[in-house]
Amino acid sequence: MPPRTPGTTGYKKVVLIGDSQFELSWNPELEFCFPAALSNYYGRRADVLNRGLAGYNSVWMRSQLDRVILELKQYDDNVPLLFVLWLGTNDSCLEFTEHHVPVDEFVTNVQTYVNEIKRNFAYARILLVSPAPISKAGLAASTTRTKGADRTQAATKEYVDALLRYSDEANVVRKVDFFSAILDAAGYDSKDADLKIKRFTVDGLHLNGNGYRVLFNLVKCTLDDWDGVRASDIDGVEPGWAEKARRFRK
């Protein structure tokens, strides 16, 4: 990491790139908002930029990544701190849908995006989030267009497993198994499993506040164990008020 100058460094940038799971994550009606919690974690250290696009898969996301790279190029090299990529929710739709992307192509796309970020931002780190489990009961009762006919849990799990098998430089790219985290939080077993997952969603697919709280706790544990990325490793912008007051008393 570049040398740090206490109290004078500018705000770092943390960028969320993904589909509706990110685009909808700042909705105050959810009561717990993932970007807000992440902003609080990085308070006075980093801005959190939500660049989620509902309905996008890993193919269509290319133009958004290009736009984000162009947006961040205006800053010094050490300003982009962390990219959180959350893809696969739409790729894992069944083959008859317009959203479907074959699992091998999905992994290739993720690898391409990781390499593009590494090429453009030498000091940035990348966190990959796996898709969440679905609730067929929740989807069937929802107002979604297909009511879950375009998804299966087995198909989702295939993309989760493929993402978790993807490997890269450990200190540059890390992964979180959000699929398993929701199952663990739900107390997943064979009895009422689908209904237990539903409690973490608004419609069997998109997360509610409980689901985003699980995500934040999982991400926070990863960040706290990541040198140069954890909040305590980053100097805040401007000194604390006591130091500011002392300077003005001189």
Side-chain angles (χ1 to χ4, degrees):
M1 296 286 290
R4 307 187 312 182
T5 306
T8 62
T9 184
Y11 288 98
K12 306 292 187 181
K13 305 297 179 185
V14 175
V15 189
L16 312 181
I17 298 178
D19 47 51
S20 57
Q21 298 287 33
F22 269 155
E23 182 173 347
L24 303 177
S25 65
W26 222 323
N27 182 355
E29 295 181 2
L30 297 174
E31 296 183 356
F32 186 93
C33 304
F34 174 77
L38 195 60
S39 292
N40 183 67
Y41 174 81
Y42 281 117
R44 292 180 57 183
R45 297 174 174 89
D47 297 325
V48 176
L49 309 178
N50 188 350
R51 297 296 181 261
L53 294 174
Y56 273 52
N57 59 29
S58 66
V59 174
W60 304 339
M61 195 62 67
R62 177 70 212 215
S63 58
Q64 178 73 324
L65 178 65
D66 291 343
R67 183 177 293 105
V68 168
I69 289 173
L70 184 63
E71 176 184 358
L72 295 179
K73 279 293 188 179
Q74 65 180 297
Y75 301 108
D76 292 340
D77 289 345
N78 65 332
V79 169
L81 173 70
L82 176 67
F83 290 78
V84 186
L85 301 186
W86 191 2
L87 300 170
T89 300
N90 295 314
D91 299 64
S92 59
C93 286
L94 300 179
E95 292 184 9
F96 64 84
T97 70
E98 62 266 54
H99 290 91
H100 174 76
V101 176
V103 66
D104 291 343
E105 184 178 352
F106 161 70
V107 174
T108 297
N109 292 337
V110 170
Q111 184 176 29
T112 297
Y113 296 163
V114 167
N115 289 338
E116 280 292 294
I117 293 170
K118 289 165 61 177
R119 185 174 66 84
N120 283 279
F121 307 108
Y123 301 112
R125 300 295 180 258
I126 303 159
L127 181 63
L128 306 178
V129 180
S130 81
I134 64 170
S135 167
K136 293 290 282 187
L139 282 164
S142 73
T143 59
T144 58
R145 178 169 55 90
T146 63
K147 294 188 176 296
D150 55 345
R151 299 176 181 275
T152 67
Q153 197 75 285
T156 301
K157 187 62 162 58
E158 185 179 0
Y159 288 72
V160 172
D161 291 343
L163 182 70
L164 296 178
R165 285 194 299 268
Y166 171 76
S167 62
D168 210 303
E169 303 166 74
N171 194 47
V172 177
V173 182
R174 297 195 180 182
K175 300 165 289 189
V176 292
D177 183 1
F178 184 51
F179 187 97
S180 295
I182 287 291
L183 297 188
D184 291 343
Y188 182 87
D189 56 34
S190 58
K191 183 179 180 181
D192 297 332
D194 194 77
L195 293 177
K196 290 178 179 178
I197 295 169
K198 180 177 179 290
R199 295 171 188 163
F200 293 86
T201 73
V202 296
D203 56 10
L205 174 67
H206 300 99
L207 300 179
N208 59 21
N210 295 327
Y212 283 117
R213 188 182 297 274
V214 173
L215 175 64
F216 175 71
N217 290 337
L218 179 64
V219 168
K220 182 179 182 297
C221 286
T222 302
L223 299 180
D224 283 343
D225 191 43
W226 202 343
D227 292 342
V229 182
R230 67 174 67 90
S232 60
D233 286 355
I234 303 167
D235 291 316
V237 174
E238 295 294 339
W241 70 265
E243 171 63 16
K244 201 77 167 179
R246 185 187 66 79
R247 294 181 185 179
F248 272 83
R249 283 196 299 268
K250 289 184 176 180

